[in-house]
């Protein structure tokens, strides 16, 4: 049986201090079925009790969370895969280079969900396919917002 924790351990907090690919699972406000989004502007608090996620202000996950605040985050790494469950809230709109909203997840459960006998040996990588200067500007702006 897998041990369930109530906060993120320090290795997951460290992973979520840079750009990470995280799956955000919400309940669709209309169909009531699970809906998956992939996000990368993610930051965990040092105490492992919250995860903040920046999204565009019109993302479908916003409506979903406003209708049902329970979410699951799928985190890949370090060395395993984790399901993080909790209650989420959505901020007002922040205007910068683009309009954002911040989803704050209060961590309730952290479970290692890697299959038996498996261990990750590398983290997923991605690249941004738009203007590198704009990407840096957006990243700097968003991470300043998430640190607040």
């Amino acid at each position: 049986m897998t041990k369930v924790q109530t906060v993120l351990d320090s290795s997951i907090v460290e992973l979520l201090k840079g750009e990470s690919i995280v799956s955000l699972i919400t309940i669709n406000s209309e169909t009531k079925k699970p809906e998956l989004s992939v996000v990368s502007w993610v930051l965990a608090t040092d105490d492992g009790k919250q995860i903040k996620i920046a999204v565009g202000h019109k993302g479908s996950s916003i409506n979903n969370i406003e209708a049902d605040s329970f979410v699951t985050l799928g985190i890949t790494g370090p060395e395993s895969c984790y399901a993080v469950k909790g209650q989420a809230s959505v901020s007002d709109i922040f205007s910068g280079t683009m309009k954002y909203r911040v989803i704050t997840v209060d961590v309730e459960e952290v479970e290692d969900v890697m299959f038996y006998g498996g261990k990750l040996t590398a983290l997923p990588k991605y690249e941004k396919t738009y203007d590198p200067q704009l990407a840096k500007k957006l990243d700097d702006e968003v991470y300043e917002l998430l640190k607040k």
Side-chain angles (χ1 to χ4, degrees):
M1 181 173 205
T2 305
K3 181 181 174 190
V4 176
Q5 299 175 291
T6 57
V7 296
L8 303 171
D9 72 29
S10 60
S11 63
I12 299 173
V13 169
E14 277 305 308
L15 176 73
L16 298 180
K17 285 188 176 181
E19 291 184 45
S20 299
I21 298 171
V22 172
S23 299
L24 169 62
I25 302 164
T26 58
I27 301 299
N28 183 287
S29 60
E30 294 175 11
T31 67
K32 305 301 182 209
K33 294 180 180 178
E35 186 172 294
L36 173 69
S37 302
V38 177
V39 294
S40 65
W41 284 326
V42 181
L43 185 68
T45 56
D46 288 335
D47 63 8
K49 293 180 179 180
Q50 286 187 328
I51 299 172
K52 295 183 179 186
I53 304 163
V55 296
H57 75 291
K58 292 183 179 180
S60 63
S61 56
I62 300 297
N63 291 335
N64 295 346
I65 291 168
E66 288 175 335
D68 183 341
S69 63
F70 185 78
V71 300
T72 300
L73 302 174
I75 299 174
T76 304
E79 296 189 351
S80 196
C81 295
Y82 303 89
V84 177
K85 298 175 183 178
Q87 297 295 319
S89 59
V90 180
S91 73
D92 291 332
I93 296 172
F94 295 98
S95 291
T97 303
M98 61 181 265
K99 291 181 181 178
Y100 313 96
R101 292 183 86 173
V102 174
I103 298 168
T104 300
V105 179
D106 292 323
V107 175
E108 295 176 354
E109 292 182 15
V110 181
E111 183 178 8
D112 185 329
V113 293
M114 189 71 175
F115 56 86
Y116 177 77
K119 176 181 172 181
L120 287 180
T121 58
L123 294 175
K125 293 186 178 191
Y126 67 94
E127 66 180 57
K128 296 176 181 165
T129 58
Y130 57 98
D131 180 307
Q133 289 178 317
L134 177 58
K136 180 172 177 7
K137 182 178 181 180
L138 289 170
D139 289 347
D140 291 346
E141 188 173 278
V142 165
Y143 281 103
E144 278 303 310
L145 177 64
L146 293 178
K147 288 176 186 175
K148 292 181 182 180

